[in-house]
Every structure is written in structure tokens, then in C-alpha cells.
Amino acid sequence: MPRMTEEEAWALDEEVTRNPPRVDPSKARHISRMVVIDDFTANYLASVSIGSHKTPTEIISEMVREKVTVSAM
């Protein structure tokens, strides 16, 4: 796919500014939260993810649940 020219980008910006998309928040399927992590943590999550065939989100969720369970005892 060819890259957009600067003129096309400005035209698209003007079009979207004049006609913003209509969004219904009640139809959202999930909420995304951005989390910034360091390189060591990202590499660890990637390694565990590959080895366990789980997503980084699943791995983090399991780690948090374990921590909460241990703290509750």
C-alpha cells in the first residue's frame, strides 16, 4: 500500500475534524488501559508467553491473583 502524501493527510485530517465518527460507549466490549513497562519486564513476559502459550495479559493476571491470594492469608 503506497504511503499517504502530506496533502492527502491534511485533507483526511480536515474531513475527520468536520465529520467526527459517532461512537456509542455503551457498546464497548472492553476497556483498554495502557501500561508502561521496562525492557527487562517486557522480555520476561515475552519469554514466559512463548513458553506457556499464554498472552502477557493472562500471565500478569495470574501473577496478580497469586500475590493477592498470598497477601490474604
Side-chain angles (χ1 to χ4, degrees):
M1 181 175 183
R3 291 183 57 103
M4 189 181 295
T5 65
E6 192 167 328
E7 292 80 19
E8 292 170 327
W10 281 111
L12 179 61
D13 178 65
E14 289 177 29
E15 178 66 26
V16 172
T17 300
R18 279 181 294 188
N19 304 304
R22 293 192 175 119
V23 180
D24 185 359
S26 67
K27 294 182 181 176
R29 294 182 186 198
H30 66 285
I31 297 172
S32 281
R33 292 180 176 91
M34 180 184 286
V35 177
V36 179
I37 57 176
D38 56 73
D39 288 340
F40 178 80
T41 305
N43 291 336
Y44 174 80
L45 284 172
S47 297
V48 173
S49 179
I50 291 168
S52 65
H53 304 289
K54 295 180 182 177
T55 65
T57 303
E58 291 171 326
I59 296 164
I60 293 169
S61 295
E62 287 176 3
M63 294 172 84
V64 170
R65 285 187 179 93
E66 288 174 14
K67 186 80 170 177
V68 169
T69 302
V70 170
S71 297
M73 293 182 164

